[in-house]
Amino acid sequence: MKSQNELGVPIPVSKPLVVRTIKEVTKAQREYALEKTEYNMFSFPADLLFLDFLSDSGAGTMTDLQWATLFHGDESYGRNKGYYVLLDAVRDIFERGDHPKRVINLIISGETDTKKLMDELYLTSYEGGFVNGGVHQLSHPNTFIVPQGRCAEYLLFSTIAPILREKDPNKKYYIPNNGHFDTTEANIAANSIYPVNLFSTNLMDEFPFDQMDKRNPFKGNMDLNELEKLIQEKGADSIPLIYITITNNTAAGQPVSMNNIKKVQKIAKKYDLPLFFDACRFAENAIFIKEFEEGYQDHSIPSIVQEMFSYVDGFTISFKKGLANIGGGLFFKDRGIFHKKFSTKEDIGILLKEKQILTFGNDSYGGMSGRDIIALASSIYETVDLNSLRRRIFLVREFARKLAENAVPVILPAGGHAVYLNMDKFFEGIDMKIDDFGGIGFTIELLKHYGIRACELGPFAFEWDKKTPEQRKSILNLVRFAIPWNAYNTSHIDYAVAAITELYNNRKKIPKVKISRGAELRLRHFQTGLQPVYGD
Ligand code: F0G
């Protein structure tokens, strides 16, 4: 008799306690709604969908523990109790590895010992890490809570750009990344800095789907040769910082190996450059390292996360990609390279804090409600739970495997949070040019016929028609199916696979798409009107 672990399917790790009924919507109703919303995926009413793979951002199902913690939320304007809990949760997860303090338990358990609360939570002092505490957070701030990831990006780039310009108004600055997300890219470009993508050279290599449980080529890595080349060509003083996105969302959600992170850090150190993570999906990245990188099989997820973050000088993060529905932050090492480099006239932390207060609210809530802050703190612990991560990775992998078995061109191996179709291959041999936006045509048809929403991350989203031939080289032609945490199970995946396969088999009927309104808008995929053009 096989043991429970030998059955070849994962042991269930959760069960839903709240059920939301999906509405019955006809194809004709969806067609009408598509027309009314200018065929833009982001404008389509979510309540009329069967399945929504537009994003995993903020769309996850909260756990019973998070709901329970949410009731402890404190809406005080100054220093709500969740602020202290969140700051210490960040220390626990990103710095303390296998030795968390979990002071959150003082709140959840209803601790009434005032001295204990003062000594262990409210009046503790920290310095030297990513999260100064007490008076140190005031005299040299390094922690900035904001509503979501792009706010942290805005805060960072809009604050460093004037400092760079003051140093040399005519200099061109470049920020390399293993793959900038669109908001990161846009926030950098909006501050007249050049974002540069250094994708791994093996990204589009073939990979056999039956090997996905056995090995992983870490296609999310940064191209180290190109990084050295860029620094040499432009000069280290033209690179304000280096960014690594974990996992690499723009590069098909692929993970980054610890070895690659270490090597990038070595290069950053050599040139005295700050290294930052775009850390949205740090937990998914950690499980890939545990599963597939030599030497890490016996390491816990928290210890892997701790090691990953020991190599960087700071990070921006959207907490919405984990189990929380809202939240983000900017963190940098107390008096590290970043702090030294950008504290030319004034302390960079003080400048960032001023801007945080001006734009999002005072530093203890940063634009979030007290309920959200404490629910977020509790979610960070659950995001690194090994069993939840295993289930998450299994579902994404199963989605990719089933598509591959049906010969649908899916990027393999599957990444951490989403499945990506390779639209160049999808339309191979068919009259569909890159600027016919076939990926958009596919998403329109998928929504119209089957009530499923996906997201084009290709020539339309990354604005092919507005870019130079050089810039076009870093645009991949993908459609993404992102899987929100704990929202879907195998039955949802099976319906999606059947629908996608049917459309693939009828790909000649997929329309080309014209932009009918707003082609010139920045971040246009959220705003433009579209029009499918059907052939005969
Ligand atoms: N960085 C990465 C890698 C992201 O995937 C996202 C968001 C952000 C930054 C910005 O965070 O949305 O909280 O402001 N990605 C979502 C997605 C929207 O669907 O991939 P945000």
Side-chain angles (χ1 to χ4, degrees):
M1 187 90 73
K2 288 176 181 169
S3 74
Q4 59 184 33
N5 294 320
E6 291 163 348
L7 290 175
V9 286
I11 303 163
V13 297
S14 62
K15 56 185 175 186
L17 293 173
V18 175
V19 170
R20 176 161 293 166
T21 306
I22 295 171
K23 305 242 171 7
E24 277 185 44
V25 182
T26 65
K27 182 182 160 202
Q29 287 171 324
R30 285 192 298 269
E31 262 181 313
Y32 177 69
L34 272 167
E35 212 179 295
K36 283 287 212 193
T37 53
E38 295 184 297
Y39 296 90
N40 184 315
M41 288 297 118
F42 289 89
S43 305
F44 194 89
D47 201 26
L48 303 179
L49 294 166
F50 294 154
L51 297 177
D52 193 357
F53 296 109
L54 186 66
S55 178
D56 57 332
S57 185
T61 301
M62 278 171 60
T63 64
D64 51 359
L65 187 63
Q66 276 175 71
W67 280 112
T69 313
L70 183 135
F71 273 86
H72 293 277
D74 167 8
E75 305 304 331
S76 305
Y77 192 71
R79 294 292 184 270
N80 68 87
K81 63 184 167 191
Y83 163 77
Y84 298 95
V85 170
L86 176 61
L87 261 49
D88 214 58
V90 174
R91 290 184 197 110
D92 269 352
I93 299 303
F94 299 106
E95 292 180 339
R96 292 188 188 132
D98 289 326
H99 306 285
K101 288 193 176 168
R102 281 189 168 267
V103 291
I104 190 171
N105 290 344
L106 293 172
I107 299 300
I108 298 173
S109 66
E111 180 60 61
T112 53
D113 181 338
T114 307
K115 183 165 184 326
K116 199 172 166 68
L117 286 167
M118 288 168 81
D119 290 348
E120 293 179 25
L121 185 59
Y122 297 134
L123 299 178
T124 50
S125 269
Y126 289 94
E127 60 180 329
F130 289 124
V131 190
N132 286 345
V135 70
H136 302 300
Q137 188 54 244
L138 296 172
S139 60
H140 37 288
N142 64 346
T143 300
F144 311 88
I145 308 169
V146 286
Q148 58 181 98
R150 67 200 67 186
C151 310
E153 294 160 4
Y154 161 78
L155 206 54
L156 175 62
F157 300 119
S158 70
T159 309
I160 65 168
I163 299 173
L164 294 169
R165 237 169 280 132
E166 202 176 323
K167 268 191 205 160
D168 185 345
N170 300 318
K171 202 173 182 63
K172 281 189 172 177
Y173 292 99
Y174 303 83
I175 297 190
N177 198 324
N178 55 332
H180 284 287
F181 184 66
D182 61 5
T183 59
T184 326
E185 185 173 306
N187 267 303
I188 291 172
N191 285 291
S192 304
I193 303 173
Y194 294 85
V196 182
N197 284 336
L198 304 179
F199 295 127
S200 180
T201 50
N202 65 351
L203 177 58
M204 293 314 237
D205 286 359
E206 296 289 327
F207 188 91
F209 67 81
D210 57 358
Q211 293 286 303
M212 277 197 287
D213 291 329
K214 300 191 176 75
R215 61 189 173 91
N216 192 289
F218 289 96
K219 291 176 167 186
N221 283 351
M222 180 177 275
D223 185 329
L224 300 167
N225 292 332
E226 287 297 315
L227 177 63
E228 274 276 6
K229 214 166 103 188
L230 181 81
I231 302 173
Q232 297 275 347
E233 264 175 25
K234 308 291 182 196
D237 57 350
S238 300
I239 317 281
L241 46 92
I242 302 173
Y243 240 87
I244 304 179
T245 304
I246 49 171
T247 53
N248 194 341
N249 190 12
T250 301
Q254 300 290 312
V256 179
S257 70
M258 192 74 90
N259 191 32
N260 191 252
I261 296 169
K262 273 195 223 174
K263 286 190 169 150
V264 175
Q265 191 234 13
K266 218 168 156 188
I267 295 174
K269 222 170 164 181
K270 182 165 117 189
Y271 295 101
D272 200 28
L273 298 175
L275 173 60
F276 268 55
F277 275 146
D278 175 341
C280 299
R281 298 179 181 88
F282 69 95
E284 285 102 328
N285 202 81
I287 194 170
F288 278 101
I289 290 174
K290 179 175 172 65
E291 269 196 80
F292 297 114
E293 192 161 351
E294 213 185 313
Y296 287 94
Q297 276 71 52
D298 298 329
H299 289 224
S300 69
I301 296 292
S303 72
I304 292 172
V305 171
Q306 180 188 27
E307 184 180 341
M308 279 161 42
F309 282 77
S310 72
Y311 299 121
V312 295
D313 200 47
F315 57 101
T316 51
I317 188 164
S318 165
F319 289 114
K320 299 176 69 174
K321 315 303 184 273
L323 277 159
N325 295 135
I326 197 78
L330 162 62
F331 304 84
F332 64 81
K333 262 193 192 137
D334 185 27
R335 287 166 287 199
I337 307 172
F338 173 79
H339 179 263
K340 191 178 72 190
K341 251 199 143 82
F342 288 98
S343 300
T344 41
K345 280 192 180 153
E346 272 193 86
D347 186 292
I348 182 72
I350 300 274
L351 289 175
L352 285 163
K353 187 127 297 183
E354 266 172 23
K355 188 164 277 177
Q356 179 195 28
I357 297 167
L358 276 174
T359 38
F360 302 111
N362 84 45
D363 59 340
S364 60
Y365 72 96
M368 292 206 285
S369 75
R371 286 183 286 274
D372 289 329
I373 292 172
I374 204 154
L376 161 59
S378 113
S379 84
I380 307 183
Y381 292 98
E382 291 186 282
T383 303
V384 295
D385 176 70
L386 179 59
N387 285 331
S388 304
L389 278 168
R390 280 202 174 120
R391 181 184 176 279
R392 176 157 180 70
I393 297 297
F394 174 83
L395 201 63
V396 180
R397 207 171 284 167
E398 193 181 43
F399 196 168
R401 182 178 54 75
K402 287 178 174 171
L403 287 171
E405 279 169 354
N406 292 355
V408 178
V410 53
I411 306 265
L412 296 173
H417 69 292
V419 160
Y420 294 69
L421 302 188
N422 178 345
M423 299 317 283
D424 284 338
K425 279 214 166 148
F426 192 101
F427 290 115
E428 218 162 52
I430 286 181
D431 171 31
M432 182 71 80
K433 294 189 294 296
I434 188 99
D435 53 359
D436 288 331
F437 304 128
I440 294 284
F442 165 76
T443 57
I444 290 172
E445 292 302 280
L446 190 65
L447 201 158
K448 182 172 90 184
H449 289 281
Y450 304 112
I452 301 173
R453 177 159 64 176
C455 184
E456 192 255 15
L457 288 174
F460 174 65
F462 292 103
E463 307 180 347
W464 167 273
D465 39 307
K466 291 194 220 164
K467 298 215 160 147
T468 62
E470 189 55 33
Q471 290 169 326
R472 285 176 179 174
K473 282 186 197 154
S474 72
I475 298 178
L476 306 171
N477 189 6
L478 307 173
V479 165
R480 184 187 75 172
F481 293 78
I483 304 181
W485 276 78
N486 291 332
Y488 295 137
N489 60 36
T490 305
S491 73
H492 301 102
I493 299 303
D494 287 347
Y495 178 72
V497 169
I500 296 164
T501 306
E502 183 64 16
L503 274 184
Y504 179 61
N505 292 338
N506 289 283
R507 54 194 178 278
K508 283 191 180 145
K509 295 184 190 156
I510 290 176
K512 297 173 180 176
V513 176
K514 294 249 171 288
I515 301 174
S516 52
R517 185 186 54 73
E520 295 312 314
L521 294 168
R522 224 198 290 249
L523 287 169
R524 71 178 181 201
H525 48 304
F526 297 107
Q527 311 182 58
T528 51
L530 298 162
Q531 186 62 54
V533 183
Y534 292 92
D536 303 327

